[in-house]
Every structure is written in structure tokens, then in C-alpha cells.
Amino acid sequence: MELEKKPDLRASDADRDEVAALLGTAMAEGRLSPEEHSERLELLYAAKTYAELAPLTADLPQDSARPRVSLRKDDAELPPPSRPSSTITCVLSGVERKGRWLVEPVTTVNCVLGGVELDFRNAVLTQREVVVNVSCLLGGVEVTVPPGVRVEVDTTAVLGGAGDPKNDTLDPNAPVIRFTGFVLLGGLDFKRKPPKGKGRWKDLLG
């Protein structure tokens, strides 16, 4: 995305998503502190033109010129991720979120007498650690993550349970998906599957 060649044009949501993913990669690589990352995200989502987007990545390496916080890697250029709502509500129904989607810093899942499926294998994280806050009553949440991604479970279960994510890495630089909230008469289950594309997250974070 050659921002300097069209500074006065209005930026799209897809453009902002690309920059958000790049900033997340830079923080994961240690190029930005969490405070710097947060400050730039605030400026990013307030930006209206390419001229406002360009300074946010001007001091980052050229080889990071496209989103790389994705949990997968393809040889071909990847399209910008979709940006669904950060709140998922499921009542007497089923909801699934999969494919190439942008994971906000906090995602809220409300599930009553229903089921939610979250597939992170091709997701793009806005930062190295994201939080999924679950409120589940008489329902279930099924989570799929790729190898090399750490999952931390801090939920409270009453007459229900949360499965073992079976973490396969202790790398301090690995992406982290943290689950909080409660499960009442329901379940929170995890499974690991490799992404459909080539490589693991380490290929993307250097």
C-alpha cells in the first residue's frame, strides 16, 4: 500500500485493518512498546486519509509492509481481514466466526441455549495478546487454534467446564489468546489444528 502516492485520498476500513495488523506485528517483534502500540491504534482509528496513516508505520522496516500478525502464511498476497463486531451474541441459535477475520483486543461472547464456534487458525490479531470474555449459560463455545499459539483460561465454571487447550509452546513471544468470564451449565472446549496455508506463526514474526 503506497500511502505516500495518494495522501489526500480517504482511507478505507480495509486500509486501517492492514495498518492495525502491521502495528500488532511490530509490537510482537519488540519494535513498539505496548504504550506506543496503544497510542498508534488510537491515531489509526481516528485517521481519515492516507496522509494520516503513513506516519504510523514510517519508522517500521520495509519488509513489514503488509499484515504479518496472521496466524498463517501464504505465498500469495493475502486480502485484508474482515472486521466483524467485537461482540458475539447467541440465543437459541448457533454462531460461527472463521476464516480471515480481525481479532480486536477484547472480544465478548454471550451465549444462552446456543453454540458458538471460534476458529483462530486464519485470524489476524490486532495485538500479541487478545482477550475473549465469555458468558455462557446452557450452551457451548468451541475454539480452534493453530499450533504455536498459547491459550490461557481464566474462566469460572459452575456445573460446567472448560477444556484443556494443551499448549505446545512456552515461547514468551508467542501470540496469546486469553479466555475470561464464566460458564454455567455449559462448556468451553478447545482443539488444535494446523492452518490450511503453509507455515506457523513463527514464520510471520521473524
Side-chain angles (χ1 to χ4, degrees), residues 20 27 37-38 41 45 83 86 101-108 124-133 176-178 180:
M27 185 180 70
H37 177 261
S38 178
L41 276 186
Y45 289 116
R83 190 179 182 186
S86 61
W101 57 288
L102 191 71
V103 184
E104 300 290 353
V106 178
T107 298
T108 301
V124 176
L125 307 184
T126 52
Q127 57 190 41
R128 189 183 66 81
E129 179 173 331
V130 296
V131 175
V132 179
N133 187 46
V176 177
I177 303 174
R178 185 177 301 278
T180 61

Side-chain angles (χ1 to χ4, degrees), residues 53-115:
L53 292 181
L56 301 178
T57 57
D59 58 349
L60 300 178
Q62 292 301 310
D63 62 355
S64 296
R66 66 185 181 90
R68 295 191 301 119
V69 187
S70 170
L71 303 182
R72 63 191 287 267
K73 180 180 181 180
D74 284 342
D75 293 331
E77 183 81 11
L78 294 174
S82 63
R83 190 179 182 186
S85 170
S86 61
T87 299
I88 301 172
T89 301
C90 175
V91 180
L92 292 170
S93 62
V95 176
E96 64 178 14
R97 187 160 290 182
K98 59 183 181 179
R100 187 168 165 77
W101 57 288
L102 191 71
V103 184
E104 300 290 353
V106 178
T107 298
T108 301
V109 177
N110 300 311
C111 178
V112 180
L113 291 168

Side-chain angles (χ1 to χ4, degrees), residues 17 21 32 36 43 45 51 76 81 91 101 108 119-120 138-139 144 170 183 189:
D17 290 344
L32 295 176
E36 290 173 320
L43 293 172
Y45 289 116
V91 180
W101 57 288
T108 301
D119 190 338
F120 290 93
L138 291 168
T144 303
L170 297 176
V183 177
D189 298 314

Side-chain angles (χ1 to χ4, degrees), residues 3-4 19 22-23 40 52-62:
L3 302 179
E4 70 280 1
V19 175
L22 174 57
L23 294 176
R40 294 195 189 196
E52 294 172 288
L53 292 181
L56 301 178
T57 57
D59 58 349
L60 300 178
Q62 292 301 310

Side-chain angles (χ1 to χ4, degrees), residues 117-186:
E117 180 181 345
L118 301 175
D119 190 338
F120 290 93
R121 288 178 294 169
N122 297 320
V124 176
L125 307 184
T126 52
Q127 57 190 41
R128 189 183 66 81
E129 179 173 331
V130 296
V131 175
V132 179
N133 187 46
V134 175
S135 298
C136 183
L137 173 63
L138 291 168
V141 180
E142 294 187 1
V143 182
T144 303
V145 293
V149 176
R150 204 164 79 244
V151 176
E152 303 291 345
V153 181
D154 298 325
T155 58
T156 300
V158 180
L159 296 176
D164 182 359
K166 297 180 180 178
N167 285 317
D168 60 354
T169 180
L170 297 176
D171 190 332
N173 293 317
V176 177
I177 303 174
R178 185 177 301 278
F179 286 81
T180 61
F182 72 92
V183 177
L184 175 61
L185 292 168

